[in-house]
mmCIF file of all heavy atoms in Angstrom:
data_model
loop_
_atom_site.group_PDB
_atom_site.id
_atom_site.type_symbol
_atom_site.label_atom_id
_atom_site.label_comp_id
_atom_site.label_asym_id
_atom_site.label_seq_id
_atom_site.Cartn_x
_atom_site.Cartn_y
_atom_site.Cartn_z
ATOM 1 N N LEU A 11 75.160 97.891 91.861
ATOM 2 C CA LEU A 11 74.741 98.710 90.709
ATOM 3 C C LEU A 11 74.714 97.853 89.436
ATOM 4 O O LEU A 11 75.710 97.217 89.090
ATOM 5 C CB LEU A 11 75.725 99.869 90.502
ATOM 6 C CG LEU A 11 75.369 100.815 89.356
ATOM 7 C CD1 LEU A 11 74.137 101.648 89.703
ATOM 8 C CD2 LEU A 11 76.551 101.720 89.009
ATOM 9 N N ARG A 12 73.567 97.844 88.742
ATOM 10 C CA ARG A 12 73.444 97.071 87.509
ATOM 11 C C ARG A 12 72.963 97.990 86.381
ATOM 12 O O ARG A 12 72.335 99.021 86.624
ATOM 13 C CB ARG A 12 72.417 95.933 87.654
ATOM 14 C CG ARG A 12 72.752 94.854 88.681
ATOM 15 C CD ARG A 12 73.743 93.810 88.140
ATOM 16 N NE ARG A 12 75.087 94.293 88.052
ATOM 17 C CZ ARG A 12 75.988 94.331 89.052
ATOM 18 N NH1 ARG A 12 75.670 93.900 90.257
ATOM 19 N NH2 ARG A 12 77.197 94.787 88.861
ATOM 20 N N ALA A 13 73.283 97.608 85.157
ATOM 21 C CA ALA A 13 72.751 98.314 83.994
ATOM 22 C C ALA A 13 71.302 97.874 83.803
ATOM 23 O O ALA A 13 71.028 96.679 83.710
ATOM 24 C CB ALA A 13 73.576 97.963 82.760
ATOM 25 N N ILE A 14 70.386 98.840 83.775
ATOM 26 C CA ILE A 14 68.954 98.551 83.621
ATOM 27 C C ILE A 14 68.504 99.092 82.267
ATOM 28 O O ILE A 14 68.822 100.230 81.905
ATOM 29 C CB ILE A 14 68.139 99.210 84.770
ATOM 30 C CG1 ILE A 14 68.639 98.726 86.143
ATOM 31 C CG2 ILE A 14 66.642 98.947 84.598
ATOM 32 C CD1 ILE A 14 68.487 97.256 86.419
ATOM 33 N N ARG A 15 67.745 98.274 81.534
ATOM 34 C CA ARG A 15 67.392 98.648 80.152
ATOM 35 C C ARG A 15 65.901 98.828 79.925
ATOM 36 O O ARG A 15 65.494 99.081 78.802
ATOM 37 C CB ARG A 15 67.947 97.593 79.197
ATOM 38 C CG ARG A 15 69.452 97.495 79.215
ATOM 39 C CD ARG A 15 69.970 96.467 78.220
ATOM 40 N NE ARG A 15 71.419 96.487 78.149
ATOM 41 C CZ ARG A 15 72.234 95.851 79.007
ATOM 42 N NH1 ARG A 15 71.725 95.145 79.984
ATOM 43 N NH2 ARG A 15 73.544 95.924 78.865
ATOM 44 N N ASP A 65 74.907 100.733 68.005
ATOM 45 C CA ASP A 65 74.437 99.409 67.571
ATOM 46 C C ASP A 65 73.529 98.726 68.595
ATOM 47 O O ASP A 65 72.820 97.785 68.245
ATOM 48 C CB ASP A 65 75.641 98.493 67.306
ATOM 49 C CG ASP A 65 76.404 98.923 66.071
ATOM 50 O OD1 ASP A 65 75.799 99.599 65.210
ATOM 51 O OD2 ASP A 65 77.601 98.606 65.973
ATOM 52 N N PHE A 66 73.597 99.146 69.848
ATOM 53 C CA PHE A 66 72.826 98.472 70.907
ATOM 54 C C PHE A 66 72.062 99.525 71.705
ATOM 55 O O PHE A 66 72.360 99.789 72.875
ATOM 56 C CB PHE A 66 73.754 97.658 71.813
ATOM 57 C CG PHE A 66 74.630 96.702 71.058
ATOM 58 C CD1 PHE A 66 75.990 96.960 70.895
ATOM 59 C CD2 PHE A 66 74.096 95.570 70.479
ATOM 60 C CE1 PHE A 66 76.796 96.092 70.186
ATOM 61 C CE2 PHE A 66 74.889 94.697 69.757
ATOM 62 C CZ PHE A 66 76.244 94.955 69.602
ATOM 63 N N MET A 67 71.090 100.134 71.038
ATOM 64 C CA MET A 67 70.441 101.322 71.600
ATOM 65 C C MET A 67 69.070 101.042 72.227
ATOM 66 O O MET A 67 68.329 101.977 72.529
ATOM 67 C CB MET A 67 70.321 102.390 70.514
ATOM 68 C CG MET A 67 71.663 102.873 69.995
ATOM 69 S SD MET A 67 72.632 103.705 71.271
ATOM 70 C CE MET A 67 72.074 105.395 71.026
ATOM 71 N N THR A 68 68.757 99.778 72.460
ATOM 72 C CA THR A 68 67.465 99.459 73.100
ATOM 73 C C THR A 68 67.247 100.257 74.392
ATOM 74 O O THR A 68 66.145 100.769 74.616
ATOM 75 C CB THR A 68 67.376 97.942 73.394
ATOM 76 O OG1 THR A 68 67.565 97.270 72.159
ATOM 77 C CG2 THR A 68 66.045 97.555 73.995
ATOM 78 N N PRO A 69 68.275 100.404 75.255
ATOM 79 C CA PRO A 69 68.045 101.175 76.485
ATOM 80 C C PRO A 69 67.587 102.607 76.188
ATOM 81 O O PRO A 69 66.726 103.143 76.893
ATOM 82 C CB PRO A 69 69.419 101.174 77.176
ATOM 83 C CG PRO A 69 70.147 100.007 76.599
ATOM 84 C CD PRO A 69 69.653 99.870 75.192
ATOM 85 N N CYS A 109 71.561 102.956 82.057
ATOM 86 C CA CYS A 109 72.405 102.025 81.299
ATOM 87 C C CYS A 109 73.337 102.823 80.398
ATOM 88 O O CYS A 109 72.878 103.706 79.659
ATOM 89 C CB CYS A 109 71.532 101.110 80.443
ATOM 90 S SG CYS A 109 72.489 99.866 79.539
ATOM 91 N N PRO A 110 74.632 102.534 80.437
ATOM 92 C CA PRO A 110 75.534 103.208 79.491
ATOM 93 C C PRO A 110 75.306 102.655 78.088
ATOM 94 O O PRO A 110 74.978 101.479 77.934
ATOM 95 C CB PRO A 110 76.944 102.820 79.978
ATOM 96 C CG PRO A 110 76.774 101.772 81.008
ATOM 97 C CD PRO A 110 75.328 101.538 81.261
ATOM 98 N N VAL A 111 75.469 103.492 77.100
ATOM 99 C CA VAL A 111 75.418 103.028 75.706
ATOM 100 C C VAL A 111 76.595 103.624 74.937
ATOM 101 O O VAL A 111 77.084 104.708 75.268
ATOM 102 C CB VAL A 111 74.098 103.392 74.985
ATOM 103 C CG1 VAL A 111 72.920 102.639 75.566
ATOM 104 C CG2 VAL A 111 73.875 104.890 74.966
ATOM 105 N N THR A 112 77.011 102.886 73.923
ATOM 106 C CA THR A 112 78.106 103.333 73.056
ATOM 107 C C THR A 112 77.530 103.895 71.770
ATOM 108 O O THR A 112 76.666 103.264 71.151
ATOM 109 C CB THR A 112 79.020 102.133 72.707
ATOM 110 O OG1 THR A 112 79.383 101.466 73.913
ATOM 111 C CG2 THR A 112 80.265 102.595 71.967
ATOM 112 N N LEU A 113 78.015 105.071 71.389
ATOM 113 C CA LEU A 113 77.621 105.670 70.105
ATOM 114 C C LEU A 113 78.728 105.309 69.122
ATOM 115 O O LEU A 113 79.709 106.047 68.965
ATOM 116 C CB LEU A 113 77.439 107.188 70.253
ATOM 117 C CG LEU A 113 76.572 107.617 71.463
ATOM 118 C CD1 LEU A 113 76.425 109.135 71.518
ATOM 119 C CD2 LEU A 113 75.210 106.943 71.459
ATOM 120 N N HIS A 114 78.597 104.116 68.531
ATOM 121 C CA HIS A 114 79.685 103.567 67.710
ATOM 122 C C HIS A 114 80.032 104.462 66.528
ATOM 123 O O HIS A 114 81.185 104.541 66.117
ATOM 124 C CB HIS A 114 79.309 102.177 67.192
ATOM 125 C CG HIS A 114 79.049 101.178 68.280
ATOM 126 N ND1 HIS A 114 77.813 101.009 68.863
ATOM 127 C CD2 HIS A 114 79.892 100.323 68.904
ATOM 128 C CE1 HIS A 114 77.895 100.069 69.792
ATOM 129 N NE2 HIS A 114 79.141 99.641 69.841
ATOM 130 N N TYR A 133 79.836 108.166 74.231
ATOM 131 C CA TYR A 133 79.065 107.432 75.241
ATOM 132 C C TYR A 133 77.904 108.281 75.747
ATOM 133 O O TYR A 133 77.988 109.520 75.802
ATOM 134 C CB TYR A 133 79.964 107.035 76.421
ATOM 135 C CG TYR A 133 81.113 106.164 75.986
ATOM 136 C CD1 TYR A 133 82.388 106.692 75.802
ATOM 137 C CD2 TYR A 133 80.899 104.816 75.701
ATOM 138 C CE1 TYR A 133 83.433 105.897 75.358
ATOM 139 C CE2 TYR A 133 81.941 104.024 75.249
ATOM 140 C CZ TYR A 133 83.202 104.566 75.084
ATOM 141 O OH TYR A 133 84.232 103.781 74.628
ATOM 142 N N ALA A 146 68.750 93.336 86.039
ATOM 143 C CA ALA A 146 69.889 93.126 85.144
ATOM 144 C C ALA A 146 69.568 92.041 84.121
ATOM 145 O O ALA A 146 68.748 91.152 84.374
ATOM 146 C CB ALA A 146 71.099 92.720 85.967
ATOM 147 N N THR A 147 70.197 92.122 82.958
ATOM 148 C CA THR A 147 70.034 91.072 81.958
ATOM 149 C C THR A 147 70.985 89.918 82.289
ATOM 150 O O THR A 147 71.831 90.030 83.175
ATOM 151 C CB THR A 147 70.365 91.605 80.554
ATOM 152 O OG1 THR A 147 71.668 92.138 80.596
ATOM 153 C CG2 THR A 147 69.383 92.663 80.133
ATOM 154 N N MET A 149 73.559 88.869 80.969
ATOM 155 C CA MET A 149 74.994 89.106 80.779
ATOM 156 C C MET A 149 75.736 89.330 82.099
ATOM 157 O O MET A 149 76.947 89.258 82.131
ATOM 158 C CB MET A 149 75.194 90.355 79.917
ATOM 159 C CG MET A 149 75.243 90.088 78.450
ATOM 160 S SD MET A 149 75.855 91.537 77.608
ATOM 161 C CE MET A 149 74.435 92.603 77.635
ATOM 162 N N GLY A 150 74.976 89.636 83.173
ATOM 163 C CA GLY A 150 75.599 90.063 84.431
ATOM 164 C C GLY A 150 76.565 89.051 85.034
ATOM 165 O O GLY A 150 76.858 88.016 84.459
ATOM 166 N N GLY A 151 77.045 89.364 86.222
ATOM 167 C CA GLY A 151 78.055 88.520 86.865
ATOM 168 C C GLY A 151 79.432 89.067 86.576
ATOM 169 O O GLY A 151 79.599 89.906 85.693
ATOM 170 N N ARG A 152 80.396 88.620 87.339
ATOM 171 C CA ARG A 152 81.754 89.141 87.183
ATOM 172 C C ARG A 152 82.779 88.027 87.288
ATOM 173 O O ARG A 152 82.558 87.015 87.934
ATOM 174 C CB ARG A 152 82.051 90.198 88.264
ATOM 175 C CG ARG A 152 81.180 91.458 88.190
ATOM 176 C CD ARG A 152 81.455 92.267 86.950
ATOM 177 N NE ARG A 152 80.724 93.535 86.942
ATOM 178 C CZ ARG A 152 79.535 93.738 86.366
ATOM 179 N NH1 ARG A 152 78.926 92.752 85.731
ATOM 180 N NH2 ARG A 152 78.954 94.916 86.406
HETATM 181 C C1 LIG B 201 81.624 101.537 78.079
HETATM 182 C C2 LIG B 201 80.320 100.787 78.114
HETATM 183 C C3 LIG B 201 79.536 100.757 76.981
HETATM 184 C C4 LIG B 201 78.304 100.084 76.989
HETATM 185 N N1 LIG B 201 77.520 100.114 75.882
HETATM 186 C C5 LIG B 201 76.299 99.522 75.917
HETATM 187 C C6 LIG B 201 75.403 99.624 74.799
HETATM 188 O O1 LIG B 201 75.732 100.217 73.771
HETATM 189 N N2 LIG B 201 74.189 99.068 74.911
HETATM 190 C C7 LIG B 201 73.780 98.391 76.043
HETATM 191 O O2 LIG B 201 72.660 97.910 76.079
HETATM 192 N N3 LIG B 201 74.610 98.265 77.124
HETATM 193 C C8 LIG B 201 75.837 98.830 77.085
HETATM 194 N N4 LIG B 201 76.669 98.757 78.179
HETATM 195 C C9 LIG B 201 76.229 98.055 79.399
HETATM 196 C C10 LIG B 201 76.993 96.737 79.604
HETATM 197 O O3 LIG B 201 76.520 95.781 78.690
HETATM 198 C C11 LIG B 201 76.786 96.310 81.061
HETATM 199 O O4 LIG B 201 77.389 97.267 81.895
HETATM 200 C C12 LIG B 201 77.420 94.959 81.333
HETATM 201 O O5 LIG B 201 76.760 93.961 80.599
HETATM 202 C C13 LIG B 201 77.357 94.596 82.806
HETATM 203 O O6 LIG B 201 76.009 94.616 83.215
HETATM 204 P P1 LIG B 201 75.648 94.692 84.774
HETATM 205 O O7 LIG B 201 76.393 95.860 85.322
HETATM 206 O O8 LIG B 201 74.148 94.886 84.799
HETATM 207 O O9 LIG B 201 76.077 93.429 85.422
HETATM 208 C C14 LIG B 201 77.893 99.410 78.170
HETATM 209 C C15 LIG B 201 78.714 99.449 79.307
HETATM 210 C C16 LIG B 201 79.908 100.129 79.285
HETATM 211 C C17 LIG B 201 80.755 100.162 80.542
#
Side-chain angles (χ1 to χ4, degrees):
L11 182 70
R12 297 279 74 83
I14 303 297
R15 297 182 174 83
D65 290 337
F66 307 106
M67 297 296 270
T68 303
C109 183
V111 292
T112 309
L113 312 181
H114 300 88
Y133 301 100
T147 56
M149 270 193 284
R152 296 293 186 266

